[in-house]
């Protein structure tokens, strides 16, 4: 193992920022956690109102009638399941003020955690109502399934919707998802929107909380329309507007080392693109082979209008194809996204740790940190040539009057663990920890930081796999 | 709520409870569809 450390203390004159060609004036807006808390309270209240809709539609006599309890169970599970499905859609609608606090990876984590609930509740809804109706009509459950699907209005569509939800749920199970191509998983996931649209009508037409209650119908429809509007606005509208406004094109493709490529992108009005160091975009390169897929890559430097830069390691088909991009290729973007920014910092100073290509997000974050952060930067690589953007990071650490440690060697010997951190960073108690790199590396550094007493709100990391 | 996932579960529960109580009181037990 080799450890190379360089300290650039306050007595050294600060040098200019690396490659500074005129800094973009605006970073991303600071996150507003109070607004997210308020939104959370609204979501909680909405859940309460949804439950009340089901409960107030029941009477004691209905409950005690044959099949009454199962029918009530079916109604309440259906309403709550549908409401939670809407919340799931909201979680991936990329509403900016929520995304700035939770980050894309945080939102996806919540989306995944919530997912089993609406699907289970909606399956329970179908089963319980079938049982309840069968008991009420004193017929068999299988016979009742046929009756419900063929004779009740909009039930065929709702049954198809449930099938699609079950399919999307099944392919999202980790073991199944691993065997699928990302694009297949994504396409089937899009059917969830279709499933929600198909299931909408039967709730309004058949739901005991809605039939004969036009105001409730109106409020429920408004909630659905608002959700659809937010998705259309932030997932589709805003990216299209941004892409048209900035008209990004590939200017240059540059090799940064074995398998690592920087793409320099030029565009209009980039001074108005509010992006902070550490954030990423979903990049859609409009070539014949790549236009249909958008992949997340961090910016590896703050924008220098009229230029942006991303740096990518070839680990898959898409990232490998970037090296073959031709100047002039048009680009559509979604973003910027990510809460891995200077706004997340809670303590006066910062420790930045990166391995492999994780250095790209760290490099733009480092550039964006206030000078008082006196950053300690730890870069880890198996070989010297794995230390991507090494010269730029060194220069930025120098300009921030920080300290740089390079750990080179195999994973066992050049490990960033509790011992290494406490030895290299004696003032850890004053620092926030930002980690970026492969999943296993991030997990081990986060665990080490926690064990050394850094509170969770001062540990920031961005997962590679989105 | 913080990014680390420390969602204020009690706040979520309380706002849900409020929503439920206020809505139940204002809807009244109407017995649903005829």
């Amino acid at each position: 193992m080799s450890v190379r450390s360089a300290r650039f203390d306050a007595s050294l004159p600060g040098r200019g920022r690396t490659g500074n060609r005129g800094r973009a004036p605006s970073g991303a807006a600071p996150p507003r956690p109070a607004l997210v808390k308020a939104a959370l309270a609204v979501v909680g209240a909405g859940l309460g109102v949804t439950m009340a809709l089901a409960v107030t539609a029941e009477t004691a006599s209905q409950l005690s009638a044959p099949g009454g309890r199962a029918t009530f169970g079916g109604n309440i599970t259906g309403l709550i399941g549908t409401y939670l499905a809407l919340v799931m859609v909201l979680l991936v609608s990329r509403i900016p003020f929520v995304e700035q606090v939770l980050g894309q990876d945080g939102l996806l984590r919540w989306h995944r955690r919530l997912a089993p609930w609406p699907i289970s509740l909606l399956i329970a809804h179908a089963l319980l109502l079938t049982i309840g109706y069968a008991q009420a009509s004193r017929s068999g459950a299988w016979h009742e399934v046929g009756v419900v699907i063929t004779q009740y209005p909009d039930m065929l569509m709702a049954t198809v919707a449930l099938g699609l939800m079950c399919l999307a749920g099944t392919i999202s199970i980790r073991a199944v998802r691993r065997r699928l191509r990302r694009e297949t998983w994504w396409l089937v996931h899009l059917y969830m929107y279709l499933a929600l649209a198909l299931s909408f009508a039967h709730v309004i037409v058949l739901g005991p909380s809605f039939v004969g209650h036009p105001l409730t119908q109106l409020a429920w429809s408004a909630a659905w329309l608002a959700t659809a509007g937010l998705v259309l606005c932030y997932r589709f509208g805003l990216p299209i507007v941004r892409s048209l406004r900035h008209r990004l094109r590939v200017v240059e493709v540059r090799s940064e080392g074995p398998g690592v490529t920087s793409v320099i992108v030029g565009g209009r009005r980039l001074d108005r693109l509010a992006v902070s160091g550490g954030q990423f975009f979903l990049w859609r390169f409009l070539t014949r082979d790549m236009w249909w897929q958008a992949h997340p890559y961090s910016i590896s430097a703050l924008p220098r209008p009229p230029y942006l830069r991303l740096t990518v390691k070839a680990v898959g088909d898409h990232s490998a194809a970037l090296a073959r991009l031709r100047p002039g290729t048009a680009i559509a973007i979604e973003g910027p996204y990510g809460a891995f920014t200077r706004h997340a910092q809670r303590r006066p100073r910062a420790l930045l740790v990166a391995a492999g290509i994780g250095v790209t997000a760290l490099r733009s974050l480092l550039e964006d940190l206030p000078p008082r952060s006196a950053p300690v930067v730890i870069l880890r690589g198996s070989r010297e040539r794995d230390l991507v953007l090494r010269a730029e990071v060194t220069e930025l650490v120098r300009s921030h009057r920080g300290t740089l440690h390079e750990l080179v060697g195999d994973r066992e010997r050049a490990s960033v663990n509790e011992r290494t951190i406490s030895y290299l960073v004696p003032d850890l108690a004053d620092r926030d920890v930002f980690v970026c790199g492969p999943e296993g590396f991030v997990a081990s550094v986060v665990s080490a930081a926690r064990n050394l007493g850094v509170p969770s709100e001062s540990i920031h990391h961005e997962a590679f796999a989105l | 709520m913080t990014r680390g996932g420390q969602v204020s579960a009690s706040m979520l529960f309380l706002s849900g409870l409020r929503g439920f109580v206020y809505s139940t009181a204002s809807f009244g037990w109407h017995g649903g569809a005829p």
Side-chain angles (χ1 to χ4, degrees), chain A residues 17-369:
Chain A
R17 288 162 185 267
T18 302
N20 195 346
R21 285 174 274 171
R23 175 160 177 210
S26 57
R32 287 175 286 182
L35 215 51
V36 175
K37 276 187 182 170
L40 188 67
V42 171
V43 167
L47 184 60
V49 173
T50 305
M51 290 172 79
L53 277 176
V55 170
T56 55
E58 287 297 320
T59 59
S61 58
Q62 283 169 334
L63 269 179
S64 54
R69 287 179 187 172
T71 304
F72 171 66
N75 287 334
I76 197 163
T77 49
L79 276 172
I80 296 172
T82 311
Y83 180 79
L84 292 180
L86 278 193
V87 174
M88 277 186 68
V89 173
L90 280 174
L91 282 170
V92 289
S93 63
R94 302 180 189 159
I95 302 167
F97 79 87
V98 182
E99 201 280 330
Q100 281 157 8
V101 173
L102 295 174
Q104 277 288 335
D105 58 338
L107 283 169
L108 286 177
R109 202 162 46 239
W110 280 104
H111 179 84
R112 279 197 291 266
R113 274 183 196 167
L114 189 59
W117 289 95
I119 292 174
S120 313
L121 284 167
L122 290 172
I123 291 171
H125 159 73
L127 291 175
L128 286 168
L129 280 186
T130 306
I131 293 167
Y133 289 177
Q135 286 174 346
S137 61
R138 297 180 198 286
S139 60
W142 285 114
H143 170 74
E144 199 58 34
V145 170
V147 171
V148 167
I149 293 176
T150 55
Q151 294 181 15
Y152 283 53
D154 301 311
M155 272 309 298
L156 184 59
M157 285 200 299
T159 309
V160 172
L162 184 62
L164 288 173
M165 287 182 191
C166 290
L167 179 65
T170 308
I171 64 156
S172 297
I173 296 169
R174 196 166 285 201
V176 180
R177 193 185 160 181
R178 272 199 209 116
R179 296 179 184 188
L180 290 175
R181 290 183 62 191
R182 185 177 186 269
E183 287 74 24
T184 311
W185 173 83
W186 181 245
L187 198 67
V188 177
H189 234 70
L190 284 183
Y191 280 116
M192 281 300 281
Y193 292 119
L194 177 66
L196 286 172
L198 287 175
S199 69
F200 175 75
H202 92 285
V203 180
I204 296 286
V205 173
L206 295 171
S209 308
F210 298 98
V211 178
H213 298 281
L215 264 180
T216 316
Q217 287 178 355
L218 193 69
W220 191 256
S221 306
W224 278 64
L225 273 177
T227 305
L230 287 167
V231 170
L232 284 174
C233 178
Y234 292 119
R235 286 203 73 141
F236 301 100
L238 192 60
I240 289 171
V241 168
R242 275 202 181 131
S243 297
L244 289 175
R245 181 196 286 166
H246 298 297
R247 302 200 180 200
L248 298 173
R249 286 186 183 275
V250 174
V251 172
E252 186 190 340
V253 178
R254 189 187 296 164
S255 173
E256 303 281 2
V260 179
T261 304
S262 279
V263 182
I264 316 292
V265 172
R268 301 187 314 166
R269 302 181 189 170
L270 288 188
D271 54 325
R272 295 192 188 174
L273 185 63
V275 52
S276 290
Q279 287 194 302
F280 67 92
F281 290 90
L282 295 176
W283 302 85
R284 190 184 299 276
F285 295 93
L286 304 178
T287 65
R288 192 186 295 171
D289 302 331
M290 298 168 81
W291 65 270
W292 52 278
Q293 48 184 333
H295 281 242
Y297 299 121
S298 300
I299 53 165
S300 59
L302 287 178
R304 307 267 183 271
Y307 302 118
L308 261 179
R309 187 182 75 178
L310 60 147
T311 303
V312 175
K313 185 173 185 181
V315 290
D317 293 346
H318 192 272
S319 49
L322 296 194
R324 299 189 294 273
L325 282 172
R326 292 187 176 170
T329 303
I331 306 165
I333 50 165
E334 297 168 43
Y337 300 125
F340 189 74
T341 69
R342 65 188 160 91
H343 297 300
Q345 195 174 339
R346 298 281 173 275
R347 294 164 157 191
R349 296 178 169 193
L351 164 65
L352 282 65
V353 190
I357 197 64
V359 77
T360 56
L362 178 139
R363 187 236 172 269
S364 60
L365 171 65
L366 174 61
E367 190 178 3
D368 210 14
L369 282 181

Side-chain angles (χ1 to χ4, degrees), chain A residues 36-37 40-41 44-45 48-49 52-53 55-59 62 101-102 105 109-110 208 211 213 339 456 461-462, chain B residues 1-8 11-12 15-21 23-25 27-34:
Chain A
V36 175
K37 276 187 182 170
L40 188 67
V49 173
L53 277 176
V55 170
T56 55
E58 287 297 320
T59 59
Q62 283 169 334
V101 173
L102 295 174
D105 58 338
R109 202 162 46 239
W110 280 104
V211 178
H213 298 281
S456 292
H461 53 94
E462 201 88 78
Chain B
M1 179 191 280
T2 68
R3 195 165 169 272
Q6 294 157 351
V7 173
S8 173
M11 192 186 76
L12 197 62
S15 58
L17 191 62
R18 277 197 200 111
F20 179 75
V21 171
S23 310
T24 305
F27 297 162
W29 260 272
H30 52 72

